[in-house]
Amino acid sequence: MNPRNLKTFPKTHLSISVALPLVAFLAFCTQAFAQPESSSPSQPVFRLDGGDTTYAFGVNERGELQQLYWGGRISAQDAVPPAHPEKELASFDSSYNNTPQEYAGWGAGLFQEPALKVTFADGNRDLVLHYVSSTKPDVNSLEITLKDISRAITVTLHYKIDPESGILARSATIENSEPKPVMIEQAAAASFSLPPAHYTLNYLTGRWAGEWTLNRETIQAGERVLESRRGTTGHQANPWFAIGKGDADEEHGETWFGALAWSGSWRIVVEQDQIDKVRITGGFNPFDFGYQLKTGEKLETPVFYAGYSHHGFGGASRLLNHFTVSHILPEGPNPKPRPVIYNSWEATEFAVTEAGQEALAEKAAALGIDRFVMDDGWFGQRKTDHAGLGDWYVNKEKFPNGLKPLIDKVHSLGMDFGLWVEPEMVNPNSDLYRQHPDWVLNFPGRPRTEQRNQLVLNLARQDVRDYVYGFLDKLLSENQIAFLKWDYNRNWSEPGWDQLPPEEQKKVYVQFTRNLYSILAELRAKHPGVEIESCSGGGGRVDLGILHYTDEVWPSDNTDPLDRLTQQDGFTRAYPVQVMMAWVTDSPHWLNGRTTSVTYRMLVSMQGSLGIGGNLNKWSDADLTTTKRLIAAYHQVQKTITQGDLYRLISPTNGSEFSATETVSPDKSQAVFFAFAHSTQEERGFPRLQLLGLDPTAEYSLTSIEGKAIPGTPAQASGSWWMNHGVDLDLHGDFQAAAFRLDRK
Ligand code: DGJ
């Protein structure tokens, strides 16, 4: 142990370690104090190792916290040299500006994206953060305290590395100890830096019914801003990125990735600076932001998760998705596979009735469905989207005896029951709005812009928060509801909070989301059996923040199977299959009129967490028989599909006429692969599929779930055969699909 390094860690942690058994204590010492020789009391170097990754940063001669290394894991013996600031570039870019700081205050001539920007009570806006101290709460965590060079603003940076994946969780707590309030104008969770190189940025964009478009572009000088100003996560961009170095591709090369755990307005800036370094800064969106901190108050940022893989973009998504299942989801690390659901929305829209729902429930149960979900239309005066939101009592015309008869019927059919709600919204045509017109986001005296005939309740208000929690608690207490589909069908406008003094009103951007999370947490604690889906007109609220409180998400209102192939390709880059609900709906499809077979539709959805969302009253007997058979086959391999390692063998993006995915169980005992051809031409065969991720020495048997391999394909062969020789499929025509399983002998 290098005694000089003890100063880096406070005495409290030494005394904790005394209580540890000797072996654990020695392990702790090795990890916690194995600082390189170069680490000195005035310029400590900090290092976190996990999985295949090392992250290191240190204090430079000026006292700034500077990133030193983020990449493949380096030997524990390697000393990371201490930090030295970058030099000034001519007279235009100061050393402060050029130095890759871990959390830069806006001051001292900073032109890069700041992590923190404040205005003090006297108008001073200069903030320069210097290192003060550090603690090491446990072997995988660090807490670093920074303080402004003269003012009493402190920032505690939180670091935690996951020992398995090497994924780092970073966030910041900003505290004002000045005698007067301070206005926070910009607060990031973290900044990450990469050295000069040729990089490709991947990010996801979209719109309603068109989410999850993967964009790929070379990182060039300047900023690429990924953001939502909408008060919520948004369909238009998702708070996730992946960056590949050089010619990194799906399975090869160095990649860095990150995702922000926040369901309010957010921003991630990827910038290449004037000395070709790349900096990624993410946190609250500074647009219209302003969070006043009174003396003694603190602001906590969301968590920005980030990691590294040397197995390309596929490796990056596998790492992140396993991490999400293990460490983010409320039921992690071993959430049960999602029940196969039936949802009534596309069958009935608002025209729900007791008899109609029961008829659908009977048909669903006959297919082997696990959960029946009644969607919009069951409450208040909800006959169209013009009325009823906010009035969460059962509509007596549609359900004269309440929900109990329907729920009992669903249970008697062997399914559990789920219900749609949209708690944060109100129709002006509702009892709630007539009683509490002041409860919505609004600027007094200004128009209240409606979207889908609804307004947004100001969930930041305590009375609104209590009302929303109260009606949901009552609903769950009085009915046997196993699942809530929690919808959110518009974004913000006129985001005023006129209960508060003007200088505090913009806190709505933080408090709304915090109250949403607290309602979800409290509901889950009180009703532990209840599962929740995050839906926002499709995939408008999918992020690692909401996924901490919800079990699944609805990726898109677009259920067209061909469109879903590309959406699922994009979605799974950032989020696990476990949470990706995928319904099979009617053909021709309502959105674009495309006609596809039920087999094709089923196989597309079986790549996710399966559901059926069509009007079963209209399905042919043949289609119902096929669906039942495939649901049974899905149940047998669902855990592999939803919690295994996903390989995108052929991506459907860029107009590819073919696509294929493969998922391998973590113990490599099973693999399931799917293949799709949307229009083969000139008798061209399906590309040979060389599988990935199998145990090369094990023997695997091949079983068709649907479709055929070409004659002569062995019924059993080694993992190395399937990975090197591969499989040729007999797949021709329009919208054709096949699926197979490999089981280790
Ligand atoms: C939008 C959702 O995405 C749909 O699935 C459905 O629940 C409707 N809202 C109901 O209004």
Side-chain angles (χ1 to χ4, degrees):
M1 187 188 301
N2 179 351
R4 286 178 301 164
N5 295 321
L6 292 178
K7 292 205 176 112
T8 312
F9 304 99
K11 288 205 172 75
T12 48
H13 293 276
L14 293 176
S15 57
I16 287 168
S17 60
V18 170
L20 295 172
L22 184 62
V23 176
F25 175 63
L26 289 174
F28 174 84
C29 291
T30 317
Q31 292 282 342
F33 301 114
Q35 296 296 323
E37 288 299 314
S38 52
S39 187
S40 72
S42 62
Q43 279 192 264
V45 170
F46 304 97
R47 171 174 168 175
L48 291 161
D49 296 288
D52 293 334
T53 303
T54 296
Y55 189 88
F57 55 96
V59 179
N60 66 26
E61 287 90 339
R62 281 198 298 260
E64 296 146 6
L65 203 62
Q66 179 177 339
Q67 190 185 312
L68 293 169
Y69 176 75
W70 183 24
R73 190 159 179 160
I74 54 180
S75 159
Q77 313 313 318
D78 289 329
V80 180
H84 301 296
E86 286 288 334
K87 53 184 193 316
E88 178 178 293
L89 187 65
S91 53
F92 292 95
D93 284 296
S94 68
S95 167
Y96 183 80
N97 189 51
N98 296 343
T99 298
Q101 297 190 48
E102 284 286 285
Y103 201 84
W106 185 76
L110 183 79
F111 305 115
Q112 315 297 351
E113 198 60 36
L116 185 62
K117 182 175 185 316
V118 304
T119 296
F120 291 94
D122 60 358
N124 172 42
R125 306 191 306 283
D126 188 58
L127 185 75
V128 176
L129 297 169
H130 277 187
Y131 171 77
V132 177
S133 62
S134 66
T135 62
K136 196 164 177 69
D138 61 60
V139 74
N140 298 310
S141 307
L142 279 167
E143 307 254 298
I144 308 289
T145 303
L146 309 175
K147 185 187 158 301
D148 178 62
I149 49 174
S150 69
R151 306 267 173 137
I153 286 283
T154 52
V155 179
T156 305
L157 301 182
H158 312 281
Y159 294 79
K160 189 172 179 66
I161 197 161
D162 173 38
E164 274 170 48
S165 63
I167 290 179
L168 198 60
R170 285 191 56 189
S171 63
T173 305
I174 302 140
E175 181 170 6
N176 177 25
S177 300
E178 287 280 288
K180 293 199 171 153
V182 168
M183 186 62 81
I184 311 285
E185 285 153 4
Q186 186 161 345
S191 290
F192 297 94
S193 303
L194 295 171
H198 178 266
Y199 294 109
T200 303
L201 172 67
N202 288 3
Y203 59 99
L204 295 163
T205 58
R207 59 181 184 278
W208 174 79
E211 303 88 335
W212 312 112
T213 301
L214 179 67
N215 302 270
R216 284 200 160 141
E217 65 195 27
T218 299
I219 296 181
Q220 291 176 336
E223 290 192 345
R224 162 59 72 184
V225 177
L226 313 175
E227 67 170 349
S228 161
R229 300 178 175 192
R230 296 163 180 265
T232 186
T233 324
H235 301 74
Q236 292 69 18
N238 191 268
W240 166 88
F241 74 89
I243 291 173
K245 184 174 176 187
D247 51 7
D249 61 19
E250 183 64 18
E251 294 300 332
H252 308 97
E254 289 195 290
T255 48
W256 292 261
F257 56 92
L260 204 52
W262 186 241
S263 315
S265 292
W266 59 272
R267 191 171 76 153
I268 297 174
V269 173
V270 180
E271 61 183 327
Q272 188 192 72
D273 67 15
Q274 68 293 333
I275 51 172
D276 298 337
K277 290 189 171 161
V278 170
R279 214 178 287 193
I280 307 117
T281 304
F284 296 122
N285 194 324
F287 179 80
D288 196 37
F289 192 79
Y291 196 98
Q292 192 197 54
L293 278 187
K294 299 204 177 78
T295 307
E297 286 184 343
K298 294 180 184 178
L299 172 64
E300 289 201 20
T301 71
V303 178
F304 199 176
Y305 294 94
Y308 165 85
S309 167
H310 54 266
H311 294 293
F313 295 110
S317 65
R318 285 189 288 278
L319 269 186
L320 180 58
N321 291 345
H322 276 298
F323 177 82
T324 300
V325 169
S326 303
H327 300 288
I328 302 284
L329 294 186
E331 303 298 328
N334 294 306
K336 66 177 194 305
R338 307 307 307 139
V340 175
I341 64 136
Y342 176 78
N343 180 291
S344 63
W345 174 246
E346 290 197 20
T348 65
E349 297 206 340
F350 301 99
V352 293
T353 60
E354 191 176 303
Q357 293 292 299
E358 288 187 4
L360 286 167
E362 277 174 11
K363 294 212 155 59
L367 296 176
I369 297 279
D370 305 310
R371 170 171 290 166
F372 182 86
V373 183
M374 177 161 66
D375 211 279
D376 199 349
W378 59 269
F379 54 90
Q381 295 310 307
R382 189 77 165 165
K383 292 182 183 139
T384 65
D385 60 17
H386 284 77
L389 285 177
D391 298 340
W392 298 103
Y393 54 83
V394 180
N395 182 302
K396 288 283 178 188
E397 269 173 63
K398 300 178 181 185
F399 298 92
N401 300 305
L403 296 177
K404 190 164 186 319
L406 173 61
I407 295 177
D408 286 349
K409 173 79 176 181
V410 166
H411 288 165
S412 75
L413 291 165
M415 300 180 289
D416 67 22
F417 180 77
L419 193 64
W420 181 95
V421 287
E422 192 174 1
E424 300 138 280
M425 298 290 167
V426 66
N427 287 115
N429 185 2
S430 66
D431 297 342
L432 184 73
Y433 188 74
R434 283 184 278 274
Q435 278 164 23
H436 298 289
D438 54 323
W439 274 13
V440 298
L441 292 176
N442 77 96
F443 290 123
R446 306 287 303 172
R448 299 173 176 202
T449 304
E450 294 175 24
Q451 285 164 33
R452 208 194 192 203
N453 312 300
Q454 64 197 56
L455 297 167
V456 184
L457 289 171
N458 183 358
L459 201 63
R461 290 173 60 129
Q462 190 61 34
D463 47 6
V464 174
R465 186 239 175 252
D466 293 346
Y467 166 77
V468 169
Y469 173 78
F471 90 72
L472 288 166
D473 178 38
K474 186 162 181 287
L475 196 61
L476 295 175
S477 302
E478 292 177 352
N479 300 284
Q480 279 188 279
I481 295 170
F483 170 79
L484 289 177
K485 174 176 173 179
W486 184 304
D487 210 342
Y488 185 84
N489 278 303
R490 59 159 292 179
N491 298 151
W492 292 11
S493 58
E494 299 97 17
W497 183 1
D498 64 329
Q499 272 187 314
L500 297 187
E503 65 278 12
E504 291 187 49
Q505 292 187 6
K506 291 178 178 174
K507 284 186 171 172
V508 69
Y509 284 105
V510 176
Q511 198 55 34
F512 187 111
T513 304
R514 296 247 187 267
N515 281 355
L516 167 66
Y517 292 162
S518 85
I519 292 170
L520 288 163
E522 206 175 327
L523 284 175
R524 293 195 78 102
K526 178 135 184 234
H527 305 277
V530 175
E531 298 179 336
I532 303 174
E533 175 180 279
S534 173
C535 171
S536 173
R541 190 153 65 186
V542 182
D543 58 78
L544 294 189
I546 202 79
L547 279 173
H548 196 51
Y549 304 94
T550 55
D551 303 273
E552 60 182 55
V553 298
W554 182 228
S556 179
D557 277 350
N558 183 351
T559 51
D560 173 80
L562 182 63
D563 288 352
R564 273 287 172 127
L565 283 177
T566 41
Q567 292 191 326
Q568 292 178 174
D569 181 272
F571 181 100
T572 55
R573 289 170 191 277
Y575 303 101
V577 171
Q578 167 75 12
V579 304
M580 183 178 76
M581 297 310 292
W583 303 350
V584 175
T585 58
D586 296 339
S587 177
H589 194 264
W590 59 269
L591 189 64
N592 49 28
R594 182 175 292 118
T595 299
T596 52
S597 70
V598 78
T599 305
Y600 182 82
R601 282 176 274 147
M602 280 295 291
L603 265 55
V604 170
S605 293
M606 283 164 67
Q607 293 173 105
S609 283
L610 179 64
I612 306 291
N615 187 351
L616 295 178
N617 296 320
K618 296 190 175 158
W619 285 25
S620 68
D621 287 347
D623 280 359
L624 291 171
T625 304
T626 303
T627 303
K628 183 175 179 177
R629 174 175 62 79
L630 289 173
I631 288 176
Y634 177 78
H635 270 134
Q636 286 178 10
V637 289
Q638 180 180 3
K639 197 157 187 212
T640 296
I641 294 172
T642 57
Q643 294 183 12
D645 279 318
L646 174 68
Y647 296 90
R648 295 178 203 86
L649 301 178
I650 306 174
S651 171
T653 53
N654 299 324
S656 168
E657 63 192 296
F658 305 114
S659 68
T661 64
E662 177 202 0
T663 322
V664 183
S665 63
D667 66 359
K668 298 184 187 292
S669 65
Q670 187 174 70
V672 182
F673 60 95
F674 293 87
F676 302 88
H678 76 68
S679 50
T680 55
Q681 293 177 321
E682 299 164 353
E683 239 196 343
R684 220 178 283 136
F686 197 88
R688 175 172 290 181
L689 289 180
Q690 289 169 299
L691 302 179
L692 292 168
L694 302 174
D695 175 353
T697 61
E699 284 285 307
Y700 292 89
S701 64
L702 179 74
T703 310
S704 167
I705 295 171
E706 181 67 44
K708 289 184 289 188
I710 62 157
T713 303
Q716 181 175 325
S718 67
S720 60
W721 168 276
W722 300 120
M723 292 194 289
N724 292 313
H725 178 279
V727 191
D728 292 307
L729 300 179
D730 183 9
L731 208 54
H732 297 276
D734 292 342
F735 305 118
Q736 297 298 307
F740 294 81
R741 56 189 279 184
L742 287 167
D743 292 282
R744 189 163 58 194
K745 299 318 289 172

